[in-house]
Amino acid sequence: MAEPEFTARGVRIGKRLRSLTRAGQVRISDGRLQLLTSYGSEIDSAPVQAVRASKPWFVPEDRALADLNGQRYLLTLGEQDPAPGEPGPPAARRFIEAVRRAAGRDR
């Protein structure tokens, strides 16, 4: 199996007002985006070409939206942000860029 293109652990995954997991995992590997629980069970997955990732307006920098299979998930990726004073974009921006890169939609 190939090395994952993007992995984030400790991700809060929610759907509408309901939290599905507070310590989940987001993985992009072999052209698929997977949302996993803290135990490794799959919440949802889809080919990256069918995924829409975006940054919601007026929310903290650590959040991103992911639309998979007709469902919208709110991802809080704060655990992967760079340490204060270190360069690097917030994890949400890295996630959105990774989805676009994997789908071949570079900006």
Side-chain angles (χ1 to χ4, degrees), residues 30-33 45-52 67-69 103 105:
D30 298 326
R32 287 191 73 78
L33 172 71
S45 72
V48 287
Q49 290 83 8
V51 173
R52 195 174 89 208
D67 292 328
L68 285 82
N69 303 321
R105 296 181 293 220

Side-chain angles (χ1 to χ4, degrees), residues 11-32:
V11 178
R12 178 178 290 237
I13 301 172
K15 186 161 69 169
R16 298 196 186 252
L17 297 175
R18 191 173 129 219
S19 177
L20 301 175
T21 183
R22 294 189 315 175
Q25 185 175 0
V26 176
R27 183 184 312 160
I28 298 174
S29 180
D30 298 326
R32 287 191 73 78

Side-chain angles (χ1 to χ4, degrees), residues 54-88:
S54 61
K55 176 86 176 80
W57 289 15
F58 306 113
V59 296
E61 286 290 316
D62 62 349
R63 298 205 180 141
L65 291 174
D67 292 328
L68 285 82
N69 303 321
Q71 301 292 323
R72 177 169 286 173
Y73 297 95
L74 178 63
L75 310 175
T76 305
L77 297 122
E79 296 296 318
Q80 300 297 316
D81 282 345
E86 290 189 20

Side-chain angles (χ1 to χ4, degrees), residues 89-107:
R93 186 159 316 278
R94 286 196 314 263
F95 165 71
I96 294 167
E97 290 170 0
V99 169
R100 290 182 180 156
R101 229 182 1 260
R105 296 181 293 220
D106 290 337
R107 299 195 185 225

